[in-house]
Amino acid sequence: MIPRLRLGFCNYSLLLLIVVLGTQSCNGRFGAYPLTEKPLTTLVSDSGTLPEVKRARDMDVNDVIQYLNLHEESSWIHTTEAELISLVNEFDDSPEIHELVADYYLTIGNVEEALVYNTKAEERGARSTEFYKKRAEVFAALGQYGLAIDYLNKAVKINGNDPDIYLSKGEVYLNMGDSISSLQYKSHAFIQDSSRLDIAADLAYLYARHDELDKSRNLIDLLIASDYRPKEMKKLDASLYRRKGQMDQANAIYKSLLDSGDTAAGVVLIDHFKQQNLHDSIVHYSTLLLEQDSSNLFALEAKAISFDYKGYYTSALIYYNQMLDIDSLNQEAHEGIRKVKGKIAYLRKLKEQKEAIPNFDFLAPKRNELIDE
């Protein structure tokens, strides 16, 4: 959230940040007073980074917690590991700082170190709902799903109305291969907060997985109407039509996606008609795909193969050569040209052999000559 500012612009930028975040409170997890009650300018070093270690003893722990919280909000993009280690060593008694450092390691993918500092936070008294949710996330990332569930259950005891807890439990059970329990917990999360479209999307996939297609489609319609990941939801909708054998409806959805610029939908259509061996349709949708992406090798090859199949060898060579214009080392194009030229040479040889055969014109005797005999 806070960029690395040079001295002279620091105060103004931080004041602006305070105005923007003025409604956010850190009482629940990151300190004893709201963000706006104390100025943060005293927390910034001359380089605009985290406080220097030599100044850390002069700062209040709540100031440091709030400052680290800002870094957490910005996904730690302005933070170095060395700075964090210096601070956590200086404020070793603070569970909140250990918790924040654990979040840093989890964000960068170092789950083992995240567990180390998360455990230190618990040893120093961390007991909040958010802490238990984060600790469950760490254990889930390590594949220790039983412990993840245990800590999510502790979070439920503190706040049973938090939909994210049930959503996380659903994710853990899904990772364990128990999609039925996952569906139950994610459904409960959606009951807790039916405005959460991310949960609705998860449920749409889970209902589809369990062949509850009508329930899945109801959520898909809601999500598309809400403009939530519309392309993804339309593709899920098309897959449901295909599962029911309604290919025309599915293809119509993919066609609309292709018309809107989704080239992946064009690939799906071409693959579908390849399976049906319908080369006219392959040529048609390859042409539409090339209108969106003129250098699409998949579409160029599909047209070349179809023209080869239909005996239009000159056209096949044109598209294979277009592939080589894009990728001169393309093996499919070189192999395709070799095969087509082989067919052309074979047909030319047959024609030459046919033309070389003598044409004997045997005249039948006239009728009156037969009578005279």
Side-chain angles (χ1 to χ4, degrees):
M1 297 292 288
I2 294 186
R4 297 183 181 276
L5 303 171
R6 294 189 179 277
L7 193 62
F9 295 93
C10 232
N11 293 345
Y12 296 107
S13 298
L14 286 169
L15 284 172
L16 178 60
L17 182 62
I18 291 169
V19 170
V20 173
L21 299 177
T23 59
Q24 299 184 9
S25 173
C26 299
N27 288 334
R29 181 181 172 194
F30 298 117
Y33 48 79
L35 187 63
T36 55
E37 284 191 16
K38 292 188 71 174
L40 296 180
T41 53
T42 58
L43 297 178
V44 185
S45 67
D46 292 343
S47 63
T49 63
L50 285 173
E52 299 173 2
V53 179
K54 64 182 180 181
R55 296 174 54 203
R57 294 184 181 87
D58 301 327
M59 289 184 291
D60 185 275
V61 64
N62 287 299
D63 290 340
V64 178
I65 290 170
Q66 289 186 24
Y67 192 65
L68 291 179
N69 186 32
L70 293 176
H71 279 297
E72 183 192 38
E73 292 292 329
S74 63
S75 301
W76 306 102
I77 59 175
H78 302 297
T79 314
T80 67
E81 183 177 13
E83 290 171 326
L84 289 175
I85 296 301
S86 296
L87 283 174
V88 78
N89 289 337
E90 187 65 35
F91 295 94
D92 184 64
D93 293 335
S94 170
E96 293 90 350
I97 292 180
H98 282 87
E99 188 178 348
L100 283 159
V101 173
D103 181 81
Y104 163 78
Y105 281 114
L106 188 61
T107 301
I108 67 172
N110 190 339
V111 186
E112 289 77 12
E113 282 299 305
L115 179 60
V116 169
Y117 286 97
N118 192 268
T119 300
K120 289 182 178 180
E122 185 175 39
E123 291 170 351
R124 287 155 178 76
R127 297 290 185 273
S128 69
T129 302
E130 293 299 319
F131 169 74
Y132 286 138
K133 286 162 58 178
K134 187 68 68 173
R135 189 155 175 79
E137 184 180 350
V138 171
F139 280 122
L142 290 168
Q144 300 182 35
Y145 300 123
L147 287 172
I149 294 296
D150 288 343
Y151 277 97
L152 288 171
N153 288 337
K154 290 182 179 183
V156 168
K157 291 179 181 179
I158 299 173
N159 182 7
N161 297 320
D162 185 345
D164 283 321
I165 299 174
Y166 302 101
L167 182 62
S168 295
K169 288 187 78 170
E171 283 296 317
V172 172
Y173 278 111
L174 190 61
N175 289 332
M176 293 170 66
D178 186 352
S179 60
I180 294 176
S181 295
S182 177
L183 180 58
Q184 291 174 344
Y185 281 108
K186 290 193 177 188
S187 296
H188 190 76
F190 195 55
I191 292 172
Q192 295 280 38
D193 187 354
S194 58
S195 68
R196 290 281 298 275
L197 297 180
D198 59 323
I199 302 176
D202 284 355
L203 286 172
Y205 280 105
L206 283 170
Y207 281 130
R209 184 170 180 171
H210 287 275
D211 290 325
E212 297 187 53
L213 304 187
D214 291 336
K215 289 182 179 180
S216 180
R217 177 157 287 119
N218 288 337
L219 290 171
I220 290 169
D221 291 341
L222 167 67
L223 292 162
I224 293 174
S226 303
D227 199 32
Y228 183 82
R229 289 151 51 182
K231 287 185 178 181
E232 179 186 342
M233 291 302 113
K234 286 179 181 179
K235 289 178 182 178
L236 177 58
D237 198 18
S239 72
L240 298 187
Y241 278 118
R242 284 195 170 180
R243 285 168 62 175
K244 296 178 72 173
Q246 297 173 308
M247 298 302 177
D248 290 342
Q249 292 91 329
N251 292 339
I253 293 173
Y254 284 118
K255 169 66 165 52
S256 68
L257 289 168
L258 175 58
D259 290 341
S260 68
D262 188 340
T263 56
V267 172
V268 172
L269 284 166
I270 294 168
D271 274 335
H272 169 72
F273 289 110
K274 278 183 176 180
Q275 293 172 12
Q276 307 300 316
N277 206 34
L278 297 174
H279 288 276
D280 287 338
S281 296
I282 293 171
V283 170
H284 173 68
Y285 286 107
S286 295
T287 301
L288 294 180
L289 177 51
L290 288 169
E291 289 175 0
Q292 300 289 343
D293 178 9
S294 61
S295 61
N296 190 290
L297 291 172
F298 180 84
L300 289 170
E301 184 182 11
K303 287 193 79 169
I305 291 172
S306 291
F307 280 130
D308 179 12
Y309 178 86
K310 292 164 70 67
Y312 301 141
Y313 299 127
T314 302
S315 296
L317 288 175
I318 289 172
Y319 287 102
Y320 279 129
N321 280 310
Q322 286 186 25
M323 292 175 66
L324 291 179
D325 290 339
I326 298 167
D327 178 9
S328 61
L329 299 178
N330 189 283
Q331 292 300 314
E332 289 79 9
H334 283 292
E335 182 65 15
I337 289 173
R338 185 190 66 79
K339 289 181 178 179
V340 172
K341 285 185 175 180
K343 291 178 183 180
I344 292 174
Y346 175 72
L347 291 175
R348 183 180 294 115
K349 185 176 181 180
L350 287 180
K351 182 180 179 181
E352 291 172 351
Q353 290 175 347
K354 182 178 180 181
E355 291 174 347
I357 297 174
N359 185 15
F360 297 100
D361 188 11
F362 296 98
L363 297 176
K366 294 181 180 179
R367 181 178 176 80
N368 57 357
E369 293 176 352
L370 294 174
I371 295 174
D372 291 340
E373 293 176 359

